[in-house]
Structure formats: structure tokens, C-alpha cells
Amino acid sequence: MADISDELIKLERSAEEARAKLAGLAGEEYQAQWRSWYEAAAVFQAAVTAHAKDTGQPRHEVEQAAKKAVRHADETPAE
């Protein structure tokens, strides 16, 4: 698995939170939230590209590692 920073996890979490807020919105509210999500996702993607370049890791592996870290952090263990 790729080595990722806490900053990448934070940026991906922010983008996912913005995406989740799209649910149930319509019209201008949806458009405004969509722009917020798009901007957060673009910041995350740029950070992934920079991190991959700086560390010499494959970009897709860095992106997938960050997404996996965010997804698994949101899961609650079964009791």
C-alpha cells in the first residue's frame, strides 16, 4: 500500500463530506453544494498528484490508499 500523509486523509474526508451533503438537495442549493464538493475534490486530486510526484509513488496507489483510509475510518466495528 502507498505511503500517505494525514493531510491527504483530511482532504479526502473533506471531499467526501461535501459529496454526502448533496443528498436531498435540489436546484440552487444542489448547485452550490456541488461546487463545494467539486472544489474539495479538486484540491484532494491536486494533493494526490503532488504527493505521488514528491514521493515517487504511483499516483493511483496514493489515491486509492487515501480513499481506503477514509472509508475504513468511517466504518464502525460489529459488536
Side-chain angles (χ1 to χ4, degrees):
M1 181 186 297
D3 180 35
I4 57 172
S5 67
D6 289 340
E7 181 66 16
L8 286 177
I9 292 170
K10 179 180 144 196
L11 292 172
E12 171 59 7
R13 186 172 290 124
S14 177
E16 279 300 300
E17 288 171 356
R19 184 192 58 77
K21 291 178 183 176
L22 288 167
L25 298 180
E28 289 181 26
E29 288 180 327
Y30 179 88
Q31 291 301 319
Q33 186 58 39
W34 185 90
R35 282 189 295 277
S36 293
W37 163 75
Y38 184 85
E39 290 170 11
V43 169
F44 168 69
Q45 292 295 327
V48 166
T49 299
H51 183 80
K53 183 178 179 183
D54 291 347
T55 62
Q57 298 176 85
R59 190 201 174 288
H60 71 280
E61 289 182 13
V62 171
E63 181 178 0
Q64 290 304 316
K67 288 178 181 277
K68 185 176 181 179
V70 169
R71 262 187 248 121
H72 288 294
D74 290 342
E75 293 176 359
T76 55
E79 294 181 21

